[in-house]
Amino acid sequence: MKHGKKYIEAQKVFERSKLYDSEEALSLCIKTGTAKFDETVEVHVKLGVDGRHADQQVRGAIVLPNGTGKTVRVLAICKPERIEEAEKAGADFVGGQDMIEKIQGGWMDFDVVITTPDMMGLVGRLGKVLGPRGLMPNPKAGTVTPDVGRAVTEAKAGKIEYRLDKANIIHVPIGKASFGAEKLGQNLSVVMEAIVKAKPAAAKGQYIKSATVASTMGPGIKLNSAKFGG
């Protein structure tokens, strides 16, 4: 893979093989992010599990204490008697069958879908559309819930979902470079604690194999993951 001059220069700021404590790693991450926009900072965690087995899946959702820095467009699909609750909680779009038909027609101007258990019979029809985009509501992620108001509030506040990809790596945004190392560090700690707590009973050997932080356009900086346990 070819990298630009800025990326190559950024790599000279730190030692590629060194494991950094989170505060120093995040400070370097901010320093090496040279884009003209406010870059997103992500953590990538390689786990010692095999996600092909159901009993080794790692998945969940958490509310970041400092949010993600991103404006989240929330769609709530619920019955008429719950519409006011969802609107008061801050949902950007609220409806029932009308919203399902709108999505079937190609509309996708939202980032999170929240629904109630009694609507899943209808929302389930959208699996082929929402599933591949990671937008299908799921009880484990807290997006299928009877408490639609709370779910909307949490989504607007910066609730994120984490899950294994095919390479057994979790990729999670922890905020914007403009947050500064302290706030990013607080978000990172919450993410890592959640991942460690979600360790499957079937997982054997070293759970956290490696962890790296990187900004949108910057290089990856390795974390001393032993500090987080697991």
Side-chain angles (χ1 to χ4, degrees), residues 36-112:
K36 292 181 180 179
F37 59 90
D38 191 6
E39 296 185 51
T40 295
V41 176
E42 290 191 348
V43 61
H44 309 275
V45 187
K46 172 77 172 175
L47 298 181
V49 297
D50 187 346
R52 292 174 298 178
H53 301 289
D55 61 354
Q56 292 188 50
Q57 272 294 328
V58 180
R59 181 176 185 174
I62 43 173
V63 178
L64 297 178
N66 300 302
T68 61
K70 178 185 175 184
T71 301
V72 181
R73 299 167 300 173
V74 178
L75 164 63
I77 298 177
C78 53
K79 292 197 171 177
E81 59 268 25
R82 308 299 296 277
I83 286 177
E84 186 179 354
E85 178 187 347
E87 287 177 338
K88 282 185 176 179
D92 300 274
F93 312 102
V94 186
Q97 180 65 41
D98 56 330
M99 288 296 173
I100 291 169
E101 290 172 0
K102 198 172 177 182
I103 293 168
Q104 288 172 328
W107 177 70
M108 293 295 292
D109 295 335
F110 48 85
D111 305 300
V112 178

Side-chain angles (χ1 to χ4, degrees), residues 175-230:
K176 297 289 187 179
S178 61
F179 281 19
E182 185 179 350
K183 286 186 175 181
L184 287 171
Q186 291 167 356
N187 281 355
L188 174 64
S189 292
V190 169
V191 169
M192 295 303 290
E193 284 171 14
I195 292 173
V196 169
K197 195 177 288 186
K199 180 180 180 180
K204 305 296 180 185
Q206 186 179 355
Y207 179 52
I208 297 179
K209 294 282 190 180
S210 65
T212 304
V213 289
S215 60
T216 306
M217 304 296 287
I221 299 166
K222 294 178 180 178
L223 288 170
N224 181 4
S225 56
K227 298 274 185 177
F228 300 105

Side-chain angles (χ1 to χ4, degrees), residues 122-208:
L122 295 172
V123 176
R125 300 173 190 170
L126 301 172
K128 289 184 179 179
V129 180
L130 299 180
R133 295 174 172 83
L135 293 170
M136 190 65 187
N138 184 288
K140 287 186 178 178
T143 45
V144 178
T145 172
D147 194 348
V148 67
R150 180 180 176 182
V152 169
T153 300
E154 288 181 342
K156 297 293 286 185
K159 187 174 186 177
I160 56 164
E161 184 180 356
Y162 61 88
R163 61 191 298 180
L164 286 176
D165 67 6
K166 290 181 180 178
N168 300 313
I169 300 172
I170 290 176
H171 310 272
V172 183
I174 56 171
K176 297 289 187 179
S178 61
F179 281 19
E182 185 179 350
K183 286 186 175 181
L184 287 171
Q186 291 167 356
N187 281 355
L188 174 64
S189 292
V190 169
V191 169
M192 295 303 290
E193 284 171 14
I195 292 173
V196 169
K197 195 177 288 186
K199 180 180 180 180
K204 305 296 180 185
Q206 186 179 355
Y207 179 52
I208 297 179

